[in-house]
């Protein structure tokens, strides 16, 4: 019989300690499930009645055809934030509150760059669209936990600017959540790559997350980060970055045809992400 040394004993004990953690993480991936719709860049504008009607059409469509959703998430530039006061924000909230399921919201550059300056700011946005939804909030960011999975809302906006980046605080919050080992999806506004093949530096600076290389290096290595959801450019894309499904949904403002406003249906099941672009007609 082979003699058991102290070193081999400690090595075996270490492996034994890690194995239950790995098994637990795999079990979380297997058991977690989510069904939701991602809508981005709806640009609802009170000066454009058609944009308001499009949102109402969306609510009717989702309530009729997708009755078993866990939530609907809105990825920024939800309304144009271009009127005095909060009239457009309140209208957007009134319409989306008619959905049969919870709604989750992050800002886009329209919400972060209000015109005129007395349109709603970050504090008012959070009061209307973040507070009272059972979210764990950290500064500009939040997490929603459902069915064993984490859904992170990360604010990639820079105040009074169209370009975006993650702050140190946002990256630290993401690290903290991802270290839980739970299956995780990230929602934000600015995409992580120049997926449309742009050649103008000014254009790329405006649309691609400005510190994307750092974010990819630090966050995309987590095996439990399954997908990201972005918008901003209005062009659809699904690619993989280090095994993470990087989804950019076509802007809701860009209908395929008459009354065919785009959204994305996403399902998490057994640690796998499936998705498809859907339309309101």
């Amino acid at each position: 019989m082979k003699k058991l040394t102290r070193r081999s004993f400690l090595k075996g004990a270490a492996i034994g300690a890690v194995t239950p953690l790995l098994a637990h993480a795999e079990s979380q991936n297997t058991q977690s499930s989510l069904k939701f719709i991602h809508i981005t860049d709806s640009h609802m504008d009170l000066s454009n009645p058609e944009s308001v009607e499009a949102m109402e059409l969306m609510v009717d469509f989702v309530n009729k055809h997708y009755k078993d959703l866990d939530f609907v998430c809105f990825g920024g530039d939800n309304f144009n934030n271009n009127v005095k006061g909060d009239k457009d924000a309140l209208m957007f909230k009134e319409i989306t509150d008619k959905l049969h399921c919870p709604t989750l919201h992050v800002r886009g550059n329209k919400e972060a760059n209000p015109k005129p300056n007395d349109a709603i700011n970050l504090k008012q946005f959070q009061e209307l669209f973040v507070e009272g939804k059972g979210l764990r909030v950290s500064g500009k960011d939040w997490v929603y936990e459902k069915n064993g999975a984490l859904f992170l809302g990360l604010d990639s906006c820079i105040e009074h600017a169209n370009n975006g980046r993650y702050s140190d605080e946002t990256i630290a919050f993401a690290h903290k959540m991802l270290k839980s080992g739970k299956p995780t999806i990230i929602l934000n506004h600015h995409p992580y790559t120049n997926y449309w093949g742009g050649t103008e530096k000014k254009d790329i600076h405006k649309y691609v997350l400005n510190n994307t290389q750092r974010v990819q290096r630090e966050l995309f290595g987590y095996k439990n980060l399954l997908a990201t959801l972005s918008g901003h450019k209005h062009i659809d894309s699904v690619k993989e970055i280090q095994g993470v499904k990087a989804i950019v949904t076509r802007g809701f403002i860009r209908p395929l045809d008459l009354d065919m406003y785009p959204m994305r249906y996403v399902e998490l099941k057994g640690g796998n992400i499936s998705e498809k672009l859907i339309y309101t007609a």
Side-chain angles (χ1 to χ4, degrees):
M1 181 176 180
K2 188 176 180 180
K3 185 177 179 181
L4 181 65
T5 65
R6 181 175 183 273
R7 182 177 180 181
S8 61
F9 172 78
L10 291 174
K11 183 179 179 181
I15 293 172
V18 171
T19 300
L21 295 176
L22 294 175
H24 180 60
E26 289 185 5
S27 174
Q28 284 182 322
N29 281 338
T30 302
Q31 296 173 7
S32 301
S33 65
L34 286 176
K35 294 180 181 180
F36 63 91
I37 285 176
H38 176 226
I39 300 170
T40 186
D41 297 277
S42 49
H43 289 274
M44 196 200 78
D45 194 314
L46 295 185
S47 67
N48 178 7
E50 186 176 315
S51 71
V52 179
E53 292 168 4
M55 294 303 298
E56 294 170 335
L57 177 64
M58 175 276 297
V59 170
D60 291 341
F61 175 83
V62 171
N63 285 345
K64 181 177 180 180
H65 297 286
Y66 289 87
K67 297 181 179 181
D68 61 344
L69 296 176
D70 292 301
F71 56 85
V72 173
C73 62
F74 295 88
D77 285 4
N78 305 320
F79 49 92
N80 277 343
N81 204 22
N82 57 356
V83 299
K84 291 184 177 181
D86 57 4
K87 289 181 181 178
D88 50 357
L90 291 177
M91 176 63 76
F92 185 87
K93 178 174 170 55
E94 179 182 337
I95 293 171
T96 56
D97 278 353
K98 294 176 183 176
L99 286 162
H100 67 80
C101 57
T103 58
L104 304 174
H105 309 256
V106 294
R107 297 190 305 165
N109 49 290
K110 291 297 184 183
E111 290 91 350
N113 191 21
K115 297 177 181 179
N117 285 330
D118 67 348
I120 74 163
N121 55 28
L122 171 62
K123 182 176 183 295
Q124 292 165 315
F125 181 89
Q126 290 185 315
E127 289 172 350
L128 286 170
F129 299 107
V130 176
E131 294 177 4
K133 290 181 175 288
L135 307 177
R136 194 187 330 168
V137 180
S138 176
K140 299 192 296 181
D141 313 300
W142 50 260
V143 59
Y144 181 67
E145 185 165 359
K146 180 76 174 181
N147 298 340
L150 298 183
F151 194 80
L152 301 188
L154 302 185
D155 192 299
S156 57
C157 297
I158 299 171
E159 304 305 323
H160 304 289
N162 288 318
N163 57 307
R165 65 184 292 115
Y166 283 159
S167 67
D168 291 343
E169 292 77 14
T170 290
I171 293 173
F173 175 70
H175 272 300
K176 183 178 179 181
M177 295 299 101
L178 285 162
K179 285 178 181 177
S180 72
K182 296 178 181 179
T184 301
I185 298 170
I186 290 176
L187 170 70
N188 80 304
H189 188 62
H190 298 81
Y192 298 91
T193 65
N194 173 16
Y195 65 91
W196 67 95
T199 57
E200 295 185 13
K201 288 185 178 180
K202 184 178 179 181
D203 191 53
I204 295 169
H205 177 74
K206 175 181 177 180
Y207 287 106
V208 179
L209 189 74
N210 291 170
N211 56 347
T212 185
Q213 293 302 320
R214 177 190 173 190
V215 170
Q216 290 182 45
R217 185 174 63 251
E218 292 194 25
L219 302 184
F220 282 60
Y222 285 94
K223 298 302 182 184
N224 55 311
L225 178 57
L226 304 180
T228 62
L229 299 161
S230 307
H232 193 35
K233 186 60 178 171
H234 300 180
I235 300 173
D236 199 72
S237 173
V238 180
K239 296 181 181 296
E240 281 206 357
I241 304 175
Q242 299 178 42
V244 178
K245 189 168 284 190
I247 299 168
V248 187
T249 297
R250 181 184 175 115
F252 187 83
I253 196 175
R254 292 186 63 208
L256 187 66
D257 204 340
L258 184 65
D259 289 341
M260 293 182 67
Y261 296 95
M263 309 173 285
R264 178 164 261 106
Y265 174 77
V266 183
E267 189 169 338
L268 162 63
K269 188 174 183 180
N272 296 312
I273 295 285
S274 59
E275 50 74 31
K276 63 179 180 180
L277 207 58
I278 60 175
Y279 297 89
T280 53

